[in-house]
Amino acid sequence: MFTKVLVSEDMEDINKGVHSALCELGVKEIQQVQYCDDAYLKIKKAILDDVPFQLLISDLSFKTDYRTQKFQSGEALIKKLKEECPSLKIIVYSVEDRLQKVRALITDYQVDGYVCKSRRGLNELSKAIKSVLNHTLYLSPEVAQAFNANNNLEIDDFDIQLLKQLSNGLSQEEISTHFKNNNISPSSLSSIEKRLNKLRIEFKANNAIHLVAIVKDLGLI
Amino acid sequence: MFTKVLVSEDMEDINKGVHSALCELGVKEIQQVQYCDDAYLKIKKAILDDVPFQLLISDLSFKTDYRTQKFQSGEALIKKLKEECPSLKIIVYSVEDRLQKVRALITDYQVDGYVCKSRRGLNELSKAIKSVLNHTLYLSPEVAQAFNANNNLEIDDFDIQLLKQLSNGLSQEEISTHFKNNNISPSSLSSIEKRLNKLRIEFKANNAIHLVAIVKDLGLI
DNA sequence: TCCGAAATTACGGAAAACCGTAACATAGTT
DNA sequence: AACTATGTTACGGTTTTCCGTAATTTCGGA
């Protein structure tokens, strides 16, 4: 079993749950952080001290508070860590169940496991840890299809970004120039119109106002 | 302190966290369920057996799985319970922090506390329990403003109505005819334009989309 | 009853959103 | 290299929204 594990998760109650699960698996040293930046520092320091962590269990979304963070999300943290410490195993433990996201984390960042927080989440997490110990990728059932089946009606990060800018009061033209300035593709006005049209159809919205209202109610933005 | 408390929450790790918090507060009997329907049945049964629960701590959103549920959300459960068992105290414990949701739960269903899941969530939950024990409404800081401050705005029922129709996807012209049909005055397209312009200025919104996004965040609609 | 302020309605031009079509680019296949 | 599928960009026309101005109506007070 792993002997040194770090848990990065902002909610203290979930931290407790994960902690007890790790204890049951016989992990000797368990450390916990509630901020991505802390996770990064702890992991780097442990390497310098020659007592590195073997496994990181991390959430994706962290509520922002007064502490400004270098890493704005679990994703950013994971990206950096996988670049700098490829031997560190990483399991994502998140409510996020959009297949697009899971797919990206695995193909782009090579995470070693993805477990959806749910009723049986802790149980799944235990399975994932055992699996990762044997260098085998583990996906919890909710997202196991992330590679097999193709879910065509999915919302990706670009869509979210687009909807957010829209809800922030930017016109489609302003969004276009904003995307151009930030090297986000596609950025043409035409593409933005097309995407919004796709989203309107997907959410059965009459117009852009309706669309924003719907996705806000769904909690997507 | 309460002696008999039910926790309704689908994630087992959060359940563990809440459980330990309740233990620390000295609650003797703690029961947990992961489905709304189970919560309802347990509460009703306890009343029939003359050993009722005094407090329910419930989440709002529950992941759906193979078990089909009569209550599709924590909200539905709470609504029903507050109708049938008004003496039961209810604290909502949820990640949901949109004010209109919180407002609705308090004004429409008279919940006794609302705590946002966050880094300090368990701590807030403890405070809430103590407060509710004294029959005092408790709102965690994230949502405390849901009632207190922001009431100096000059918006009337007509404005709310207008914004609601707008967020429902009706065009300004459709809203106009809708108002005419329902004898709501003013109803001309011109008046609707004028009102929306007033609201845009009042809320510093760039356009109608922005306006709807803002008032949704404020919980006005 | 008349007056004036405020609300409502009407109108026209400019800007933005909406919608269909088509050209162009890119990646993967044979 | 040619072909296909998909994604991106470009463009023109229609509708809706946005905004200023002005005419009309409503209503309380002198």
Side-chain angles (χ1 to χ4, degrees):
Chain A
M1 182 44 61
F2 294 110
T3 53
K4 185 164 182 176
V5 176
L6 181 65
V7 181
S8 177
E9 157 71 54
D10 60 349
M11 291 210 282
E12 52 181 346
D13 36 19
I14 291 189
N15 255 334
K16 285 201 186 188
V18 174
H19 190 276
S20 66
L22 287 171
C23 286
E24 284 170 20
L25 282 172
V27 176
K28 291 206 190 71
E29 186 173 356
I30 306 164
Q31 294 198 31
Q32 304 187 328
V33 291
Q34 296 195 325
Y35 296 88
C36 286
D37 286 18
D38 293 350
Y40 182 74
L41 293 176
K42 257 191 194 292
I43 286 167
K44 297 298 275 190
K45 171 130 194 330
I47 291 172
L48 291 178
D49 294 347
D50 216 22
V51 282
F53 286 96
Q54 297 148 356
L55 173 68
L56 167 68
I57 296 171
S58 177
D59 195 1
L60 289 181
S61 71
F62 292 74
K63 291 225 170 186
T64 52
D65 60 9
Y66 64 97
R67 274 183 57 173
T68 52
Q69 294 288 295
K70 185 178 150 212
F71 295 104
Q72 291 293 329
S73 68
E75 209 173 330
L77 171 69
I78 289 166
K79 178 175 158 64
K80 187 81 167 183
L81 283 176
K82 274 295 184 182
E83 282 169 10
E84 299 185 355
C85 326
S87 65
L88 174 70
K89 300 281 185 185
I90 298 182
I91 293 175
V92 178
Y93 186 47
S94 168
V95 287
E96 175 66 68
D97 60 359
R98 286 178 340 214
L99 302 185
Q100 199 76 26
K101 199 79 180 215
V102 181
R103 214 184 313 249
L105 281 164
I106 293 167
T107 58
D108 299 351
Y109 308 146
Q110 283 86 42
V111 301
D112 305 278
Y114 195 104
V115 178
C116 275
K117 288 177 183 170
S118 66
R119 289 191 177 78
R120 308 282 303 148
L122 277 190
N123 202 285
E124 291 296 326
L125 189 59
S126 295
K127 285 193 211 167
I129 293 168
K130 289 175 200 159
S131 177
V132 170
L133 193 60
N134 294 324
H135 310 286
T136 308
L137 174 71
Y138 185 89
L139 302 178
S140 63
E142 296 94 331
V143 297
Q145 24 153 0
F147 289 95
N148 326 340
N150 52 340
N151 214 327
N152 50 355
L153 40 103
E154 276 217 4
I155 314 300
D156 60 23
D157 286 345
F158 180 86
D159 294 323
I160 300 288
Q161 191 70 8
L162 183 53
L163 291 167
K164 270 188 185 154
Q165 297 299 339
L166 203 59
S167 75
N168 282 337
L170 273 67
S171 72
Q172 297 181 8
E173 192 142 14
E174 286 169 330
I175 295 175
S176 171
T177 60
H178 171 259
F179 280 179
K180 282 191 176 76
N181 293 340
N182 292 71
N183 289 328
I184 297 171
S185 172
S187 63
S188 75
L189 178 59
S190 190
S191 288
I192 287 168
E193 288 180 0
K194 195 148 286 187
R195 285 287 186 131
L196 284 176
N197 193 43
K198 190 202 74 179
L199 290 170
R200 269 202 304 276
I201 293 169
E202 204 157 318
F203 288 102
K204 305 190 206 322
N206 295 342
N207 53 44
I209 299 175
H210 197 192
L211 177 63
V212 168
I214 289 171
V215 297
K216 268 200 164 294
D217 280 337
L218 287 176
L220 259 48
I221 57 172
Chain B
M1 181 45 61
F2 294 110
T3 52
K4 186 165 181 176
V5 176
L6 181 65
V7 180
S8 177
E9 158 70 55
D10 61 347
M11 290 210 284
E12 52 181 347
D13 38 19
I14 291 189
N15 255 335
K16 285 203 186 190
V18 174
H19 189 276
S20 67
L22 286 171
C23 285
E24 283 171 22
L25 283 172
V27 176
K28 290 205 192 72
E29 186 174 355
I30 306 164
Q31 294 197 31
Q32 304 187 326
V33 290
Q34 297 195 324
Y35 295 88
C36 287
D37 286 17
D38 293 349
Y40 182 73
L41 293 175
K42 258 193 193 293
I43 286 167
K44 298 297 276 190
K45 171 133 197 327
I47 291 172
L48 290 178
D49 293 348
D50 217 21
V51 283
F53 286 96
Q54 298 148 356
L55 173 68
L56 167 68
I57 296 171
S58 177
D59 194 1
L60 289 181
S61 71
F62 292 75
K63 290 226 170 187
T64 52
D65 60 10
Y66 64 96
R67 275 184 58 174
T68 53
Q69 294 287 296
K70 186 178 149 209
F71 295 103
Q72 290 293 331
S73 68
E75 210 173 330
L77 171 70
I78 289 166
K79 177 175 159 65
K80 187 80 168 183
L81 284 175
K82 273 296 185 183
E83 282 169 9
E84 299 185 355
C85 325
S87 66
L88 173 71
K89 301 282 186 184
I90 298 181
I91 294 175
V92 178
Y93 185 48
S94 169
V95 288
E96 176 66 68
D97 60 359
R98 282 173 302 172
L99 301 185
Q100 82 266 23
K101 203 76 179 218
V102 181
R103 206 188 302 256
L105 281 164
I106 293 167
T107 57
D108 299 351
Y109 308 146
Q110 282 86 44
V111 300
D112 305 278
Y114 195 106
V115 177
C116 276
K117 286 177 184 169
S118 66
R119 290 195 176 76
R120 308 282 303 148
L122 278 189
N123 202 285
E124 291 295 327
L125 189 58
S126 295
K127 285 193 211 165
I129 292 168
K130 289 175 199 158
S131 177
V132 170
L133 193 60
N134 294 326
H135 309 285
T136 308
L137 175 71
Y138 186 88
L139 302 178
S140 62
E142 295 94 331
V143 297
Q145 25 154 354
F147 286 91
N148 310 347
N150 62 349
N151 282 337
N152 47 359
L153 292 168
E154 291 178 21
I155 56 166
D156 56 23
D157 287 345
F158 180 86
D159 293 323
I160 299 290
Q161 191 70 8
L162 183 52
L163 291 168
K164 270 186 185 158
Q165 296 299 339
L166 203 59
S167 75
N168 283 336
L170 274 66
S171 71
Q172 297 182 10
E173 191 141 15
E174 285 169 331
I175 296 175
S176 171
T177 61
H178 171 258
F179 281 179
K180 282 191 174 77
N181 293 339
N182 294 71
N183 290 327
I184 297 171
S185 173
S187 63
S188 74
L189 178 59
S190 190
S191 289
I192 286 168
E193 287 180 0
K194 196 148 286 186
R195 285 285 187 133
L196 284 177
N197 193 43
K198 191 202 75 178
L199 289 169
R200 269 202 304 274
I201 294 168
E202 202 158 319
F203 288 102
K204 305 191 206 320
N206 295 342
N207 53 44
I209 299 175
H210 197 192
L211 176 63
V212 167
I214 290 171
V215 297
K216 267 198 165 298
D217 281 338
L218 287 175
L220 261 47
I221 58 173

